[in-house]
Amino acid sequence: MRELKLLFEKNRQWAEEHIKDDPDYFQRLSEGQNPTYLWIGCSDSRIPANEVVGLAPGELFVHRNVANLFIHTDFNCLSVLQYAIDYLQIKHVIVCGHYDCGGVKAALGDEQLGLVDNWLRNIRDVYARSKDELEAIKDDTLRCNRLVELNVIQQVLNIGHTTIVQNGWSRGQKISIHGWLYDLPKGKLIDLKCCVSSPKQLEEIYLTS
Ligand code: CO
């Protein structure tokens, strides 16, 4: 299989660019990673995690899936979180949703899409929990945007309730979970100000949202 030559060519150029002024760049990176942040974002191709926050390779630990969900039974995201908290000693977990999210839009629709519907079911549960608030919003885009926000807040709570974060806090480890949005048409991040850094803060948001 020698297709996709373009990508190999782009990789060669990219690697050369990095070592042009810094010949040891990749050697240094290969010795280990010490990222400060874990990014949990949407798989959407328009939101490259490192690039939107201007961080270099090695600075951001990343997990992405459709609609940036953190599900208690998903061993994929649980494994990422455990490694990040227990071994990388990550201090900041960022859940970043985005407006115009295809996954959230699909969860609002009636059309059956297949296997992915079971995944999107989690967003429909978020909708059901805030049905009155959401159905009072008449504009479809604004309603979808609000569901994007509520979905992020729900994932912040889900992460805070894991044994991984709870045990980290009990050990005295500093862990903050942040809920952010990426405003795709503007290219800007928005802080949803639902950060939790302790079990007490977690319960305050859990009981009021
Ligand atoms: Co999305």
Side-chain angles (χ1 to χ4, degrees):
M1 289 283 276
R2 298 304 294 170
E3 289 115 2
L4 304 180
K5 275 190 191 146
L6 174 69
L7 298 190
F8 281 88
E9 179 54 28
K10 280 183 173 289
N11 166 254
R12 192 186 59 73
Q13 289 169 4
W14 174 83
E16 279 175 8
E17 194 61 36
H18 274 82
I19 54 174
K20 200 170 63 185
D21 299 319
D22 185 0
D24 298 330
Y25 179 75
F26 290 109
Q27 183 54 43
R28 262 199 328 277
L29 267 185
S30 71
E31 284 161 13
Q33 60 171 331
N34 188 21
T36 308
Y37 319 94
L38 165 60
W39 173 280
I40 297 177
C42 184
S43 297
D44 193 305
S45 61
R46 298 166 295 179
I47 308 154
N50 278 70
E51 288 182 38
V52 303
V53 284
L55 291 176
E59 295 180 329
L60 189 68
F61 201 54
V62 174
H63 178 75
R64 291 169 69 182
N65 62 37
V66 172
N68 40 268
L69 297 177
F70 194 97
I71 309 302
H72 290 303
T73 50
D74 176 13
F75 279 87
N76 190 344
C77 64
L78 285 166
S79 303
V80 169
L81 184 69
Q82 196 230 326
Y83 190 73
I85 300 292
D86 292 356
Y87 293 94
L88 295 173
Q89 302 282 308
I90 291 265
K91 291 185 177 63
H92 298 281
V93 180
I94 298 155
V95 180
C96 189
H98 68 104
Y99 293 143
D100 199 38
C101 181
V104 175
K105 277 197 220 166
L108 277 169
D110 292 330
E111 200 186 337
Q112 240 204 51
L113 301 171
L115 179 72
V116 72
D117 287 314
N118 299 288
W119 185 252
L120 300 179
R121 181 76 248 161
N122 295 291
I123 307 173
R124 295 195 175 106
D125 290 343
V126 174
Y127 186 97
R129 273 194 285 278
S130 299
K131 199 165 186 275
D132 293 346
E133 180 193 341
L134 288 162
E135 291 188 354
I137 305 171
K138 295 298 165 216
D139 182 87
D140 288 348
T141 306
L142 294 180
R143 191 183 323 110
C144 187
N145 287 352
R146 182 59 183 149
L147 183 55
V148 164
E149 295 171 2
L150 292 170
N151 184 48
V152 168
I153 296 167
Q154 183 63 54
Q155 309 319 312
V156 168
L157 296 173
N158 289 355
I159 293 167
H161 282 130
T162 58
T163 52
I164 301 158
V165 170
Q166 293 279 324
N167 291 345
W169 280 334
S170 312
R171 290 192 297 267
Q173 205 170 325
K174 298 251 180 292
I175 307 162
S176 296
I177 311 155
H178 309 261
W180 292 0
L181 279 175
Y182 180 66
D183 189 354
L184 194 53
K186 295 198 176 89
K188 294 279 177 61
L189 288 168
I190 300 166
D191 186 352
L192 278 175
K193 300 195 189 323
C194 58
C195 173
V196 289
S197 306
S198 68
K200 187 170 171 286
Q201 286 176 349
L202 182 66
E203 290 320 302
E204 280 166 11
I205 296 186
Y206 187 60
L207 297 172
T208 54
S209 64

